Amino acid sequence: MATSGKALTVAVFGARGTGKTAWTLQQIKAANPGRLIVWDFKHDPGLEGLGRGFHSLPDFIRAMNAPAFQLRYLVDHGRDVHQQFEFFCRAAWEAGCVLMFVDELPEVTKANKAPPAWRRCVNVGRDYRDGKGARKWLSIIGAGQRPAECDKSFIANADVIHTGRLANAADARELAQSLGCDHRELLALPDLHWIERRAGQVEPSRGVLTFGPAAKKPRSRKAA
């Protein structure tokens, strides 16, 4: 997922049932990335169409050796989740030229705590060279219910901030500053309604999630 050749970082928020996952799926499917990896924390049935699922992290990483892939890692809750996430992010960095979607981001990052490999992906991954000098990039989508529980550097680096209704007033006040809107609007959005601000926009845009032929398509994006 890129705009005018630029890899995007997209932050997606919203309370349960507001449509954030459905919106994200639409963006990914419209982009049709040739190389996609998904961090599926809760083994969400709604994400099954995003690629082959793996319960084994080593097998998942080995599958990334292919020229093209769409893969979903089903997190093992019986093991250290943070260690798994670190390896997931390292693998993304090594592979490069990848769209990575991290669902339930607050489960692996906190407001003032970003795992090292994730921080590198977010801060440097837009355009970098690997150890052999090859030029690479990472497009990143991170989603969560509460922005206050997510890595602040991720939000600050986002090219797109997209949200449905927020249930917490403190979250709404904080995110409203980034969006340039009244926090009370974020608290009152009906289901499937959204507010979004892209880098360079003076005012946020607003819309309603639709399905089928009328579904909103991402603007000026090329497949990864």
Side-chain angles (χ1 to χ4, degrees), residues 24-106:
T24 302
L25 288 171
Q26 286 186 0
Q27 307 311 298
I28 294 174
K29 289 178 179 178
N32 190 29
R35 292 161 64 89
L36 168 71
I37 59 172
V38 179
W39 172 265
D40 188 353
F41 180 79
K42 61 182 182 181
H43 303 190
D44 189 345
L47 302 183
E48 289 179 356
L50 289 184
R52 181 183 174 191
F54 286 83
H55 291 274
S56 164
L57 186 55
D59 288 346
F60 171 84
I61 293 173
R62 277 191 288 270
M64 293 172 65
N65 289 322
F69 48 79
Q70 293 190 340
L71 311 172
R72 188 166 51 101
Y73 177 58
L74 301 148
V75 178
D76 183 350
H77 296 282
R79 296 173 50 233
D80 187 328
V81 170
H82 295 282
Q83 185 180 63
Q84 293 173 69
F85 187 60
E86 181 74 5
F87 280 113
F88 176 92
C89 294
R90 287 185 190 177
W93 178 271
E94 291 299 325
C97 305
V98 169
L99 169 57
M100 56 187 297
F101 169 35
V102 177
D103 199 17
E104 303 296 337
L105 186 59

Side-chain angles (χ1 to χ4, degrees), residues 58-218:
D59 288 346
F60 171 84
I61 293 173
R62 277 191 288 270
M64 293 172 65
N65 289 322
F69 48 79
Q70 293 190 340
L71 311 172
R72 188 166 51 101
Y73 177 58
L74 301 148
V75 178
D76 183 350
H77 296 282
R79 296 173 50 233
D80 187 328
V81 170
H82 295 282
Q83 185 180 63
Q84 293 173 69
F85 187 60
E86 181 74 5
F87 280 113
F88 176 92
C89 294
R90 287 185 190 177
W93 178 271
E94 291 299 325
C97 305
V98 169
L99 169 57
M100 56 187 297
F101 169 35
V102 177
D103 199 17
E104 303 296 337
L105 186 59
E107 297 294 336
V108 285
T109 74
K110 298 301 177 187
N112 297 310
K113 183 178 180 181
W118 166 256
R119 183 172 60 245
R120 181 172 61 171
C121 289
V122 168
N123 292 342
V124 188
R126 178 170 293 159
D127 186 3
Y128 65 99
R129 293 187 184 274
D130 65 13
K132 298 179 180 178
R135 192 169 183 179
K136 296 181 176 180
W137 53 265
L138 294 172
S139 283
I140 303 171
I141 302 176
Q145 293 184 32
R146 296 195 59 195
E149 294 181 342
C150 293
D151 168 27
K152 298 304 180 187
S153 292
F154 169 67
I155 298 175
N157 277 284
D159 300 287
V160 181
I161 299 176
H162 178 100
T163 188
R165 183 181 64 256
L166 297 175
N168 183 280
D171 289 340
R173 289 191 187 94
E174 186 170 335
L175 196 63
Q177 294 180 8
S178 297
L179 289 166
C181 67
D182 190 311
H183 78 279
R184 290 170 293 189
E185 184 179 4
L186 300 181
L187 293 169
L189 285 172
D191 285 349
L192 305 185
H193 287 240
W194 51 261
I195 298 178
E196 173 184 290
R197 188 171 185 180
R198 292 171 176 260
Q201 280 187 327
V202 177
E203 296 291 333
S205 56
R206 296 164 173 80
V208 182
L209 182 65
T210 56
F211 300 91
K216 175 181 178 287
K217 292 184 173 62

